[in-house]
Amino acid sequence: MDAPSAAAVLAPNEAPTSDRLPRAHFTAIALLLASTFVVILNETTMSVALPPIMADLHVTAAVGQWLTTVFMLTMAVVIPATGFLLQRFGTRVSYLLAMSLFSAGTLLAILAPAFGVLVAARVVQASGTAIMMPLLMTTVMNLVPERHRGKVMGNVSLVISAAPALGPTLSGAVLEPLGWRGVFGVVLPIALAALIVGAVLIRDVSEREHKRLDALSLVLAALAFGGLVYGLTSLGQAAGGHVPVPPAVPLAVGVVMLVLFVLRQRQLQRDDHAVLDLRVFAARGFPTALGAMAVAMLAMFGSFILLPLILQRALGLSPLETGLLVLPGGLAMGLLGPVVGNLYDRVGPRPLVVPGAVLVVAAFVGMATIRPTTHWWFVLAAHVVMSLGLALVFTPLFTTALGSLPPRLYSHGSAAVSTVQQLAGAAGTALFVALLTARSTSLAQSGAHPAQALTGGSGLAFTVGAAVMVAAFVLAFMLRKPATSESVVVH
């Protein structure tokens, strides 16, 4: 069989005629998966690269953290608008825009002569990253037959699970021979190659809709989601007494602007001009799956921020040893994604999410018992159990949430899912760090050894995390496999 021509790849509204995914569609989804892997990998490299950046550019830790904070803020601001973007400009333009922004930001980071320029580079990178995840999920939903979506969404879960796990390890391996600029330098050729290949292969998966862009909605979204993410991020810092602005201020602004944003979208969606169409929340099954996903994301991101702290500061592991210890769990979560996806296609979400939530709760209960004398293998085992549980949770929830929508709302559903991911990640980080800081400070003031105080704080955080994860367990019993898209109706 001859290879498909470039013009044939992703032809608009092309429907598969058999159970087997056409080669053109397979190639396009594989390219989107690889591109998304690269941009997500970039997100987690900063955790290891930050100290040498601070030393080289002569900035304090409080200033250096803006490289992470500004990335999260940009993602939170851009993602809500991606539903409109995908419908207005289509798959091809959106992909080229995403990878062009990401590549330009990466090049700027390599060449950055000062810290301010590096912060600007992270903003440009994040703008491209914010488009990729909704683009990938929307494309999968448009191209893959419903009975096979679980399998393909399992590959999406592989990307979003394995990439964050590999980021710190890759960063640690590159830093010594190439320095912090090398961390960006390794990523740039891959991003440029993906951009060039995508320019040849990617075509639109559906007809574009010529909608007008509501500037007021963009301003409200920026203030709403930016305020919420910044406020939540500041909560953890406030527990340690180091914030330029009280978290209540950006949180209050975010809540008020969110209310105004919702009212504006409800008004605009009457004529199908909403930047983020809120009718996705009226689809049966979408809110339940999204709620369970938010809880799981909160727990996952909270554990991601806490484990490296206690492994290095309480158990005495080096950064490289820490990265290697959490690597098996991340890889296990990613590699299990396609397997879970196949199972989802057969049995639906509930038989997978229920035991998955149980495993995460059990892992958190185990992590709550970590003390300075705990052996590293116990932490490794608990992290692997948690990762296996999350693998059973995320693929079914992603597939159920988006499968509950009619095709015309796929892009807006993808944007809503990605927005909730960002908010849940910020909330999880804030909750776990605040609990850790408050409890460890109290124990230290009572005379406890610093390492003992730190694990005491992490014990409280993981205990609360286990309690929060119970909500996902309860919601799992309400999940149903979505009906076919033809029967999905949203009013």
Side-chain angles (χ1 to χ4, degrees):
M1 178 178 180
D2 295 332
S5 65
V9 178
L10 287 185
N13 296 327
E14 181 180 349
T17 57
S18 68
D19 282 353
R20 189 173 183 179
L21 197 65
R23 186 190 300 181
H25 292 181
F26 176 84
T27 301
I29 291 175
L31 177 61
L32 287 171
L33 283 168
S35 302
T36 305
F37 182 88
V38 172
V39 299
I40 294 179
L41 182 74
N42 168 77
E43 277 194 72
T44 56
T45 55
M46 280 297 99
S47 61
V48 178
L50 190 56
I53 290 175
M54 290 162 48
D56 186 37
L57 300 181
H58 309 291
V59 296
T60 64
V63 174
Q65 285 297 328
W66 273 99
L67 290 176
T68 300
T69 302
V70 78
F71 198 97
M72 293 181 62
L73 286 174
T74 305
M75 293 274 288
V77 169
V78 175
I79 284 175
T82 55
F84 169 88
L85 180 72
L86 298 182
Q87 287 189 336
R88 178 66 179 82
F89 297 107
T91 309
R92 176 178 170 78
V93 172
S94 298
Y95 177 83
L96 296 179
L97 176 62
M99 293 309 297
S100 295
L101 285 170
F102 180 79
S103 300
T106 304
L107 176 61
L108 184 60
I110 296 171
L111 302 175
F115 184 76
V117 179
L118 185 57
V119 170
R122 292 287 284 172
V123 170
V124 178
Q125 275 191 323
S127 299
T129 302
I131 300 171
M132 280 306 303
M133 194 62 196
L135 175 60
L136 170 62
M137 290 191 291
T138 301
T139 302
V140 168
M141 296 301 294
N142 275 300
L143 294 185
V144 179
E146 293 175 16
R147 57 189 171 276
H148 297 309
R149 281 180 186 159
K151 179 180 180 180
V152 180
M153 290 298 282
N155 288 303
V156 175
S157 296
L158 188 157
V159 165
I160 65 174
S161 302
L166 288 172
T169 306
L170 172 67
S171 184
V174 170
L175 274 171
E176 186 172 345
L178 301 178
W180 65 266
R181 295 180 193 273
V183 174
F184 297 104
V186 170
V187 171
L188 181 60
I190 305 173
L192 289 174
L195 175 60
I196 294 170
V197 174
V200 175
L201 295 182
I202 295 294
R203 296 291 181 268
D204 291 333
V205 303
S206 59
E207 297 294 338
R208 301 182 189 180
E209 299 182 19
H210 295 284
K211 298 180 177 182
R212 67 176 184 269
L213 179 61
D214 184 59
L216 178 58
S217 293
L218 293 182
V219 173
L220 292 174
L223 294 173
F225 297 107
L228 290 173
V229 169
Y230 181 73
L232 290 168
T233 304
S234 300
L235 281 176
Q237 299 173 353
H242 306 293
V243 285
V245 179
V249 175
L251 284 173
V253 171
V255 170
V256 172
M257 292 299 110
L258 181 61
V259 172
L260 295 177
F261 177 77
V262 169
L263 293 175
R264 182 64 174 168
Q265 301 319 294
R266 287 175 62 87
Q267 179 185 22
L268 292 173
Q269 69 191 24
R270 296 170 187 168
D271 300 320
D272 286 331
H273 290 301
V275 170
L276 180 61
D277 197 319
L278 301 179
R279 284 174 291 190
V280 295
F281 293 97
R284 182 179 180 181
F286 184 85
T288 302
L290 191 64
M293 189 188 307
V295 172
M297 284 288 177
L298 185 150
M300 183 180 75
F301 278 95
S303 67
F304 279 1
I305 196 71
L306 239 64
L307 272 180
L309 285 174
I310 60 176
L311 286 171
Q312 293 179 52
R313 296 184 183 179
L315 273 65
L317 273 63
S318 68
L320 179 59
E321 290 170 334
T322 300
L324 292 175
L325 189 143
V326 299
L327 183 60
L331 292 177
M333 179 163 51
L335 295 174
L336 195 60
V339 177
V340 174
N342 274 321
L343 290 174
Y344 172 87
D345 290 330
R346 298 177 185 177
V347 301
R350 195 189 313 169
L352 299 170
V353 179
V354 170
V358 170
L359 286 177
V360 176
V361 171
F364 274 23
V365 170
M367 290 177 183
T369 67
I370 295 175
R371 295 296 179 264
T373 55
T374 301
H375 201 278
W376 63 265
W377 64 261
F378 178 84
V379 184
L380 173 63
H383 185 258
V384 169
V385 170
M386 179 196 75
S387 301
L388 294 177
L390 291 173
L392 291 171
V393 167
F394 283 132
T395 297
L397 291 180
F398 275 121
T399 313
T400 300
L402 295 178
S404 302
L405 303 175
R408 63 187 174 85
L409 290 178
Y410 284 160
S411 61
H412 289 279
S414 299
V417 167
S418 297
T419 299
V420 168
Q421 278 185 266
Q422 293 298 310
L423 292 175
T429 300
L431 175 65
F432 277 56
V433 170
L435 291 170
L436 171 77
T437 304
R439 179 60 174 164
S440 59
T441 300
S442 174
L443 291 174
Q445 291 174 347
S446 301
H449 186 274
Q452 194 71 35
L454 188 64
T455 54
S458 68
L460 174 63
F462 281 121
T463 299
V464 173
V468 169
M469 194 63 197
V470 171
F473 173 78
V474 174
L475 288 171
F477 286 96
M478 302 167 61
L479 295 172
R480 299 289 187 277
K481 192 170 185 179
T484 59
S485 61
E486 289 77 8
S487 61
V488 174
V489 179
V490 178
H491 300 286

